[in-house]
Amino acid sequence: MMSLLLTLAYDGSDYSGWVIQKKHLTIQGELNKAIKNVIKNNDFKTIGSSKTDAHVHASDQKVLLTINFEIKNLERFQQALNKALSTAIQILSIEIVSSDFNIRHARQKEYEYTLNDVDTNVFSARFEEQWKYGKIDIAKLQSILKVFIGEHDFKLFSGLSLEEQKTITTVRTIENIKVLRIDNKVKIIFNGKAFIRYQIRMIVGTALKAYLGKVSLSTISEKLQGSGTKLPYVANAAGLCLKKIIF
């Protein structure tokens, strides 16, 4: 048995997220097809560190691949996999890890949400959300997003069903949120150990509505206690990218 840590980058625009699904095109599904194409009838298993949502991108997804034989040339194996994959998915590196390596125990994950508030660019539109309400005041948006930093019950900022909430905790800690302007794009950077489905997109969507004066900070604070109903604000998936995973 051999355990390998794969680092992936992908354009998630045309995929229904990371997790393999029978009737939908997914990143894990396409990766598994490529692996099977290369190693033929040998047994293997893949586990992703982060379950990115439909149409979300990644520049540093980590995947644990366990196989039932030894691969002697990892460079050639990586080349073969990349040849078998779509150009929207790329394996950046492969390294050997111990058999007890836990892909789900990351120390920190970093996500980045990109807003274009300057002009429409057909070549970057797949990777950003177009903002049509004037140039964003970075300091103002930063002050709004501060309310989400720290430990809160994000039940009302998640896509979890009531059944899922019975087994998945919605109390999470966001270590930091930074708002920067880089190359005429607004970047909202989230750091934390783990995030829930739709959490970041719902935070961004709500913060932007607060920026426009359509929801108050006091209302957001109440929702962060986990009581009441969800606000119907979810930012477009195109703007979200998994940027970094640290073990």
Side-chain angles (χ1 to χ4, degrees):
M1 189 70 72
M2 191 176 195
S3 298
L4 300 172
L5 181 64
L6 280 58
T7 298
L8 269 66
Y10 48 82
D11 172 357
S13 302
D14 300 324
Y15 297 88
S16 297
W18 159 258
V19 179
I20 193 166
Q21 300 177 44
K22 287 184 178 180
K23 297 182 179 180
H24 298 281
L25 197 67
T26 70
I27 302 296
Q28 186 181 27
E30 292 304 289
L31 176 62
N32 284 2
K33 286 180 187 177
I35 295 170
K36 188 173 183 178
N37 180 270
V38 172
I39 69 173
K40 307 305 179 187
N41 295 322
N42 290 285
D43 293 332
F44 70 92
K45 182 179 181 180
T46 57
I47 304 174
S49 178
S50 188
K51 298 177 181 179
T52 52
D53 299 329
H55 316 306
V56 171
H57 319 291
S59 59
D60 188 39
Q61 170 72 290
K62 302 295 186 184
V63 180
L64 180 64
L65 167 62
T66 53
I67 51 178
N68 65 349
F69 69 100
E70 182 179 354
I71 295 175
K72 298 187 182 297
N73 192 321
L74 292 182
E75 184 177 354
R76 289 182 62 183
F77 181 54
Q78 180 180 337
Q79 291 172 348
L81 289 178
N82 278 329
K83 187 175 180 180
L85 284 165
S86 157
T87 54
I89 307 170
Q90 183 180 15
I91 298 173
L92 303 177
S93 66
I94 301 178
E95 59 184 289
I96 299 172
V97 292
S98 63
S99 59
D100 61 352
F101 180 82
N102 193 329
I103 193 72
R104 296 281 169 77
H105 282 190
R107 286 192 292 112
Q108 188 183 82
K109 295 180 181 180
E110 180 174 293
Y111 279 86
E112 180 181 277
Y113 196 91
T114 302
L115 293 159
N116 183 341
D117 63 345
V118 179
D119 55 12
T120 302
N121 186 331
V122 67
F123 297 107
S124 62
R126 289 166 69 92
F127 306 99
E128 62 195 24
E129 169 72 351
Q130 188 69 40
W131 178 258
K132 301 178 180 179
Y133 304 97
K135 197 168 184 178
I136 291 174
D137 181 334
I138 299 298
K140 179 180 176 181
L141 184 56
Q142 178 75 73
S143 67
I144 293 169
L145 284 162
K146 278 185 179 179
V147 73
F148 294 99
I149 297 175
E151 183 181 282
H152 303 285
D153 187 344
F154 288 95
K155 178 172 64 178
L156 302 181
F157 293 90
S158 81
L160 298 179
S161 66
L162 292 176
E163 190 63 29
E164 288 175 313
Q165 290 174 24
K166 294 177 182 178
T167 56
I168 300 174
T169 179
T170 54
V171 176
R172 301 293 168 106
T173 300
I174 295 180
E175 296 168 10
N176 196 25
I177 303 175
K178 292 186 294 184
V179 184
L180 305 171
R181 183 173 293 280
I182 302 173
D183 297 330
N184 279 329
K185 304 288 175 69
V186 175
K187 305 283 187 177
I188 307 174
I189 302 166
F190 292 80
N191 295 99
K193 187 173 182 179
F195 297 91
I196 319 169
R197 187 190 316 137
Y198 301 164
Q199 181 184 355
I200 293 175
R201 291 169 55 203
M202 293 183 77
I203 289 172
V204 172
T206 301
L208 292 175
K209 289 297 181 181
Y211 182 91
L212 295 173
K214 296 184 178 181
V215 60
S216 68
L217 288 181
S218 60
T219 296
I220 294 174
S221 295
E222 290 173 6
K223 301 297 181 184
L224 286 171
Q225 295 176 29
S227 59
T229 57
K230 292 182 182 180
L231 295 170
Y233 309 128
V234 185
N236 193 330
L240 187 58
C241 181
L242 171 61
K243 296 294 289 187
K244 189 185 300 181
I245 298 178
I246 301 172
F247 291 96

Short mmCIF file of all heavy atoms in Angstrom, two decimals, residues 151-195:
data_model
loop_
_atom_site.label_atom_id
_atom_site.label_comp_id
_atom_site.label_asym_id
_atom_site.label_seq_id
_atom_site.Cartn_x
_atom_site.Cartn_y
_atom_site.Cartn_z
N GLU A 151 -15.43 32.94 16.78
CA GLU A 151 -16.28 31.76 16.88
C GLU A 151 -17.75 32.15 16.91
O GLU A 151 -18.17 32.96 17.73
CB GLU A 151 -15.94 30.96 18.13
CG GLU A 151 -16.75 29.67 18.26
CD GLU A 151 -16.43 28.89 19.53
OE1 GLU A 151 -15.37 28.22 19.55
OE2 GLU A 151 -17.22 28.97 20.49
N HIS A 152 -18.52 31.57 15.99
CA HIS A 152 -19.96 31.84 15.90
C HIS A 152 -20.68 30.57 15.49
O HIS A 152 -20.07 29.62 14.99
CB HIS A 152 -20.26 32.94 14.87
CG HIS A 152 -19.56 34.23 15.11
ND1 HIS A 152 -19.93 35.12 16.09
CD2 HIS A 152 -18.48 34.78 14.48
CE1 HIS A 152 -19.13 36.18 16.06
NE2 HIS A 152 -18.24 36.00 15.09
N ASP A 153 -21.99 30.59 15.65
CA ASP A 153 -22.82 29.51 15.11
C ASP A 153 -23.26 29.93 13.71
O ASP A 153 -24.11 30.81 13.55
CB ASP A 153 -24.04 29.27 16.00
CG ASP A 153 -24.84 28.04 15.57
OD1 ASP A 153 -24.63 27.57 14.43
OD2 ASP A 153 -25.67 27.56 16.35
N PHE A 154 -22.67 29.30 12.69
CA PHE A 154 -22.93 29.67 11.31
C PHE A 154 -24.06 28.85 10.68
O PHE A 154 -24.12 28.71 9.46
CB PHE A 154 -21.65 29.53 10.48
CG PHE A 154 -20.62 30.59 10.77
CD1 PHE A 154 -19.60 30.35 11.68
CD2 PHE A 154 -20.68 31.83 10.15
CE1 PHE A 154 -18.65 31.33 11.96
CE2 PHE A 154 -19.74 32.82 10.42
CZ PHE A 154 -18.72 32.57 11.33
N LYS A 155 -24.95 28.34 11.51
CA LYS A 155 -26.07 27.54 11.00
C LYS A 155 -26.87 28.27 9.94
O LYS A 155 -27.28 27.69 8.93
CB LYS A 155 -26.98 27.14 12.17
CG LYS A 155 -28.20 26.33 11.76
CD LYS A 155 -28.95 25.81 12.98
CE LYS A 155 -29.53 26.92 13.82
NZ LYS A 155 -30.31 26.41 14.97
N LEU A 156 -27.08 29.58 10.15
CA LEU A 156 -27.88 30.37 9.21
C LEU A 156 -27.03 30.93 8.07
O LEU A 156 -27.53 31.68 7.23
CB LEU A 156 -28.59 31.50 9.96
CG LEU A 156 -29.52 31.05 11.08
CD1 LEU A 156 -30.19 32.25 11.74
CD2 LEU A 156 -30.57 30.07 10.57
N PHE A 157 -25.75 30.57 8.06
CA PHE A 157 -24.86 30.94 6.96
C PHE A 157 -24.26 29.67 6.37
O PHE A 157 -23.06 29.58 6.11
CB PHE A 157 -23.76 31.88 7.46
CG PHE A 157 -24.27 33.22 7.91
CD1 PHE A 157 -24.65 33.43 9.22
CD2 PHE A 157 -24.38 34.27 7.01
CE1 PHE A 157 -25.14 34.66 9.64
CE2 PHE A 157 -24.87 35.51 7.41
CZ PHE A 157 -25.25 35.70 8.74
N SER A 158 -25.10 28.68 6.17
CA SER A 158 -24.64 27.41 5.61
C SER A 158 -25.73 26.80 4.73
O SER A 158 -26.90 27.17 4.82
CB SER A 158 -24.29 26.42 6.73
OG SER A 158 -25.46 25.78 7.22
N GLY A 159 -25.30 25.86 3.90
CA GLY A 159 -26.25 25.15 3.04
C GLY A 159 -26.61 23.79 3.59
O GLY A 159 -27.13 22.94 2.87
N LEU A 160 -26.35 23.57 4.88
CA LEU A 160 -26.64 22.28 5.49
C LEU A 160 -28.15 22.10 5.69
O LEU A 160 -28.84 23.03 6.10
CB LEU A 160 -25.94 22.14 6.84
CG LEU A 160 -24.41 22.19 6.84
CD1 LEU A 160 -23.89 22.06 8.26
CD2 LEU A 160 -23.83 21.09 5.96
N SER A 161 -28.62 20.90 5.43
CA SER A 161 -30.03 20.58 5.68
C SER A 161 -30.22 20.36 7.18
O SER A 161 -29.25 20.22 7.94
CB SER A 161 -30.42 19.31 4.93
OG SER A 161 -29.72 18.19 5.45
N LEU A 162 -31.47 20.33 7.62
CA LEU A 162 -31.76 20.08 9.03
C LEU A 162 -31.23 18.72 9.46
O LEU A 162 -30.74 18.55 10.59
CB LEU A 162 -33.28 20.15 9.28
CG LEU A 162 -33.91 21.54 9.13
CD1 LEU A 162 -35.42 21.45 9.30
CD2 LEU A 162 -33.33 22.52 10.15
N GLU A 163 -31.30 17.74 8.56
CA GLU A 163 -30.79 16.40 8.87
C GLU A 163 -29.28 16.43 9.04
O GLU A 163 -28.72 15.81 9.95
CB GLU A 163 -31.18 15.43 7.75
CG GLU A 163 -30.93 13.96 8.07
CD GLU A 163 -31.75 13.44 9.24
OE1 GLU A 163 -32.87 13.96 9.47
OE2 GLU A 163 -31.25 12.53 9.93
N GLU A 164 -28.59 17.16 8.16
CA GLU A 164 -27.12 17.26 8.25
C GLU A 164 -26.68 17.98 9.51
O GLU A 164 -25.63 17.67 10.09
CB GLU A 164 -26.58 17.99 7.02
CG GLU A 164 -26.64 17.17 5.74
CD GLU A 164 -26.21 17.98 4.53
OE1 GLU A 164 -26.68 19.12 4.37
OE2 GLU A 164 -25.41 17.46 3.73
N GLN A 165 -27.48 18.93 9.96
CA GLN A 165 -27.14 19.70 11.16
C GLN A 165 -27.15 18.85 12.42
O GLN A 165 -26.59 19.23 13.45
CB GLN A 165 -28.09 20.89 11.31
CG GLN A 165 -27.88 21.97 10.27
CD GLN A 165 -28.93 23.07 10.34
OE1 GLN A 165 -29.54 23.29 11.38
NE2 GLN A 165 -29.14 23.75 9.23
N LYS A 166 -27.76 17.67 12.35
CA LYS A 166 -27.78 16.76 13.50
C LYS A 166 -26.42 16.12 13.73
O LYS A 166 -26.10 15.71 14.85
CB LYS A 166 -28.84 15.67 13.29
CG LYS A 166 -30.27 16.19 13.26
CD LYS A 166 -31.25 15.05 12.98
CE LYS A 166 -32.69 15.55 12.91
NZ LYS A 166 -33.64 14.44 12.58
N THR A 167 -25.62 16.01 12.67
CA THR A 167 -24.33 15.32 12.78
C THR A 167 -23.13 16.22 12.47
O THR A 167 -22.00 15.84 12.74
CB THR A 167 -24.29 14.11 11.83
OG1 THR A 167 -24.56 14.54 10.49
CG2 THR A 167 -25.33 13.07 12.24
N ILE A 168 -23.37 17.40 11.89
CA ILE A 168 -22.28 18.31 11.54
C ILE A 168 -22.41 19.58 12.37
O ILE A 168 -23.44 20.26 12.32
CB ILE A 168 -22.31 18.67 10.04
CG1 ILE A 168 -22.18 17.41 9.18
CG2 ILE A 168 -21.19 19.65 9.70
CD1 ILE A 168 -22.34 17.65 7.69
N THR A 169 -21.38 19.91 13.14
CA THR A 169 -21.44 21.11 13.96
C THR A 169 -21.40 22.36 13.08
O THR A 169 -20.65 22.42 12.09
CB THR A 169 -20.29 21.16 14.98
OG1 THR A 169 -20.39 22.38 15.73
CG2 THR A 169 -18.93 21.13 14.30
N THR A 170 -22.20 23.34 13.44
CA THR A 170 -22.23 24.60 12.69
C THR A 170 -21.47 25.71 13.42
O THR A 170 -21.41 26.83 12.95
CB THR A 170 -23.68 25.05 12.43
OG1 THR A 170 -24.39 25.11 13.67
CG2 THR A 170 -24.38 24.07 11.49
N VAL A 171 -20.92 25.38 14.58
CA VAL A 171 -20.09 26.34 15.32
C VAL A 171 -18.69 26.28 14.74
O VAL A 171 -18.02 25.25 14.82
CB VAL A 171 -20.07 26.05 16.83
CG1 VAL A 171 -19.11 27.00 17.54
CG2 VAL A 171 -21.47 26.17 17.41
N ARG A 172 -18.25 27.35 14.13
CA ARG A 172 -16.94 27.40 13.48
C ARG A 172 -16.22 28.70 13.87
O ARG A 172 -16.85 29.66 14.31
CB ARG A 172 -17.08 27.35 11.96
CG ARG A 172 -17.78 26.09 11.44
CD ARG A 172 -16.97 24.83 11.70
NE ARG A 172 -17.73 23.63 11.48
CZ ARG A 172 -17.57 22.82 10.44
NH1 ARG A 172 -16.69 23.12 9.50
NH2 ARG A 172 -18.30 21.71 10.33
N THR A 173 -14.91 28.69 13.68
CA THR A 173 -14.10 29.87 13.99
C THR A 173 -13.43 30.39 12.72
O THR A 173 -12.70 29.65 12.05
CB THR A 173 -13.01 29.54 15.03
OG1 THR A 173 -13.64 29.09 16.24
CG2 THR A 173 -12.17 30.78 15.33
N ILE A 174 -13.71 31.64 12.39
CA ILE A 174 -13.00 32.30 11.30
C ILE A 174 -11.87 33.10 11.94
O ILE A 174 -12.11 34.02 12.74
CB ILE A 174 -13.93 33.22 10.49
CG1 ILE A 174 -15.00 32.39 9.79
CG2 ILE A 174 -13.12 34.03 9.47
CD1 ILE A 174 -15.97 33.20 8.95
N GLU A 175 -10.65 32.73 11.63
CA GLU A 175 -9.49 33.35 12.28
C GLU A 175 -9.24 34.77 11.79
O GLU A 175 -8.84 35.64 12.57
CB GLU A 175 -8.26 32.47 12.04
CG GLU A 175 -8.38 31.09 12.68
CD GLU A 175 -7.31 30.12 12.22
OE1 GLU A 175 -6.35 30.57 11.54
OE2 GLU A 175 -7.43 28.92 12.51
N ASN A 176 -9.48 34.99 10.50
CA ASN A 176 -9.23 36.33 9.98
C ASN A 176 -9.96 36.52 8.65
O ASN A 176 -10.18 35.56 7.90
CB ASN A 176 -7.74 36.56 9.77
CG ASN A 176 -7.39 38.03 9.60
OD1 ASN A 176 -8.12 38.91 10.05
ND2 ASN A 176 -6.29 38.31 8.92
N ILE A 177 -10.35 37.76 8.38
CA ILE A 177 -10.90 38.14 7.07
C ILE A 177 -10.22 39.44 6.68
O ILE A 177 -10.25 40.43 7.42
CB ILE A 177 -12.43 38.36 7.11
CG1 ILE A 177 -13.15 37.11 7.62
CG2 ILE A 177 -12.94 38.73 5.71
CD1 ILE A 177 -14.66 37.30 7.79
N LYS A 178 -9.58 39.45 5.52
CA LYS A 178 -8.91 40.65 5.03
C LYS A 178 -9.52 41.06 3.69
O LYS A 178 -9.82 40.21 2.86
CB LYS A 178 -7.41 40.39 4.83
CG LYS A 178 -6.63 40.16 6.11
CD LYS A 178 -5.14 40.05 5.84
CE LYS A 178 -4.82 38.80 5.04
NZ LYS A 178 -3.35 38.62 4.84
N VAL A 179 -9.66 42.36 3.50
CA VAL A 179 -10.14 42.89 2.23
C VAL A 179 -9.01 43.71 1.61
O VAL A 179 -8.52 44.66 2.23
CB VAL A 179 -11.40 43.77 2.41
CG1 VAL A 179 -11.92 44.21 1.04
CG2 VAL A 179 -12.48 43.01 3.17
N LEU A 180 -8.60 43.33 0.42
CA LEU A 180 -7.49 44.00 -0.25
C LEU A 180 -7.88 44.38 -1.67
O LEU A 180 -8.77 43.76 -2.26
CB LEU A 180 -6.26 43.09 -0.31
CG LEU A 180 -5.74 42.50 1.01
CD1 LEU A 180 -4.67 41.46 0.72
CD2 LEU A 180 -5.19 43.60 1.90
N ARG A 181 -7.21 45.39 -2.21
CA ARG A 181 -7.36 45.69 -3.64
C ARG A 181 -6.05 45.30 -4.32
O ARG A 181 -4.99 45.85 -4.02
CB ARG A 181 -7.67 47.16 -3.88
CG ARG A 181 -7.91 47.48 -5.36
CD ARG A 181 -8.38 48.91 -5.58
NE ARG A 181 -9.70 49.15 -5.03
CZ ARG A 181 -10.84 48.80 -5.64
NH1 ARG A 181 -10.80 48.18 -6.81
NH2 ARG A 181 -12.00 49.06 -5.07
N ILE A 182 -6.14 44.34 -5.24
CA ILE A 182 -4.96 43.85 -5.95
C ILE A 182 -5.27 43.87 -7.45
O ILE A 182 -6.22 43.22 -7.90
CB ILE A 182 -4.60 42.42 -5.51
CG1 ILE A 182 -4.33 42.39 -3.99
CG2 ILE A 182 -3.39 41.91 -6.28
CD1 ILE A 182 -4.12 41.00 -3.44
N ASP A 183 -4.46 44.60 -8.21
CA ASP A 183 -4.63 44.67 -9.66
C ASP A 183 -6.06 45.05 -10.05
O ASP A 183 -6.69 44.42 -10.91
CB ASP A 183 -4.25 43.34 -10.32
CG ASP A 183 -2.78 42.99 -10.11
OD1 ASP A 183 -1.97 43.93 -9.99
OD2 ASP A 183 -2.46 41.79 -10.05
N ASN A 184 -6.59 46.07 -9.39
CA ASN A 184 -7.94 46.57 -9.67
C ASN A 184 -9.05 45.56 -9.40
O ASN A 184 -10.16 45.68 -9.92
CB ASN A 184 -8.05 47.08 -11.12
CG ASN A 184 -7.49 48.47 -11.27
OD1 ASN A 184 -7.55 49.28 -10.34
ND2 ASN A 184 -6.93 48.77 -12.43
N LYS A 185 -8.75 44.56 -8.58
CA LYS A 185 -9.76 43.60 -8.14
C LYS A 185 -9.84 43.65 -6.61
O LYS A 185 -8.82 43.87 -5.94
CB LYS A 185 -9.41 42.17 -8.58
CG LYS A 185 -9.19 41.99 -10.08
CD LYS A 185 -10.47 42.08 -10.86
CE LYS A 185 -10.21 42.01 -12.36
NZ LYS A 185 -9.75 40.69 -12.80
N VAL A 186 -11.03 43.46 -6.07
CA VAL A 186 -11.19 43.39 -4.62
C VAL A 186 -11.10 41.93 -4.20
O VAL A 186 -11.84 41.08 -4.71
CB VAL A 186 -12.54 43.99 -4.19
CG1 VAL A 186 -12.76 43.81 -2.69
CG2 VAL A 186 -12.61 45.47 -4.56
N LYS A 187 -10.19 41.64 -3.29
CA LYS A 187 -9.98 40.28 -2.80
C LYS A 187 -10.40 40.20 -1.33
O LYS A 187 -9.91 40.96 -0.50
CB LYS A 187 -8.50 39.89 -2.91
CG LYS A 187 -7.90 40.05 -4.31
CD LYS A 187 -8.31 38.92 -5.22
CE LYS A 187 -7.57 38.99 -6.55
NZ LYS A 187 -7.90 37.86 -7.45
N ILE A 188 -11.32 39.29 -1.04
CA ILE A 188 -11.73 39.04 0.34
C ILE A 188 -11.13 37.70 0.75
O ILE A 188 -11.48 36.66 0.18
CB ILE A 188 -13.26 39.01 0.49
CG1 ILE A 188 -13.89 40.27 -0.12
CG2 ILE A 188 -13.65 38.87 1.96
CD1 ILE A 188 -15.41 40.24 -0.14
N ILE A 189 -10.21 37.73 1.71
CA ILE A 189 -9.44 36.53 2.07
C ILE A 189 -9.89 36.01 3.43
O ILE A 189 -9.88 36.75 4.43
CB ILE A 189 -7.93 36.85 2.09
CG1 ILE A 189 -7.50 37.37 0.70
CG2 ILE A 189 -7.13 35.62 2.48
CD1 ILE A 189 -6.14 38.02 0.67
N PHE A 190 -10.30 34.75 3.45
CA PHE A 190 -10.79 34.09 4.67
C PHE A 190 -9.78 33.06 5.15
O PHE A 190 -9.29 32.25 4.35
CB PHE A 190 -12.11 33.36 4.38
CG PHE A 190 -13.27 34.25 4.08
CD1 PHE A 190 -13.44 34.81 2.81
CD2 PHE A 190 -14.23 34.54 5.05
CE1 PHE A 190 -14.52 35.62 2.52
CE2 PHE A 190 -15.32 35.35 4.76
CZ PHE A 190 -15.46 35.90 3.50
N ASN A 191 -9.49 33.06 6.45
CA ASN A 191 -8.62 32.06 7.05
C ASN A 191 -9.34 31.36 8.19
O ASN A 191 -9.93 32.01 9.06
CB ASN A 191 -7.33 32.69 7.58
CG ASN A 191 -6.47 33.28 6.48
OD1 ASN A 191 -6.51 34.48 6.25
ND2 ASN A 191 -5.72 32.45 5.79
N GLY A 192 -9.29 30.04 8.19
CA GLY A 192 -9.92 29.26 9.25
C GLY A 192 -9.57 27.80 9.09
O GLY A 192 -9.03 27.38 8.06
N LYS A 193 -9.86 27.02 10.11
CA LYS A 193 -9.52 25.59 10.07
C LYS A 193 -10.48 24.81 9.18
O LYS A 193 -10.08 23.87 8.48
CB LYS A 193 -9.53 25.02 11.49
CG LYS A 193 -9.01 23.59 11.56
CD LYS A 193 -8.88 23.12 13.00
CE LYS A 193 -8.31 21.70 13.05
NZ LYS A 193 -8.15 21.23 14.45
N ALA A 194 -11.76 25.17 9.23
CA ALA A 194 -12.76 24.44 8.44
C ALA A 194 -13.96 25.33 8.18
O ALA A 194 -14.33 26.15 9.02
CB ALA A 194 -13.19 23.17 9.18
N PHE A 195 -14.57 25.14 7.02
CA PHE A 195 -15.75 25.91 6.64
C PHE A 195 -16.88 24.96 6.25
O PHE A 195 -16.65 23.83 5.85
CB PHE A 195 -15.42 26.84 5.47
CG PHE A 195 -14.37 27.88 5.80
CD1 PHE A 195 -13.03 27.61 5.58
CD2 PHE A 195 -14.72 29.09 6.34
CE1 PHE A 195 -12.05 28.55 5.88
CE2 PHE A 195 -13.76 30.05 6.65
CZ PHE A 195 -12.42 29.77 6.42
#
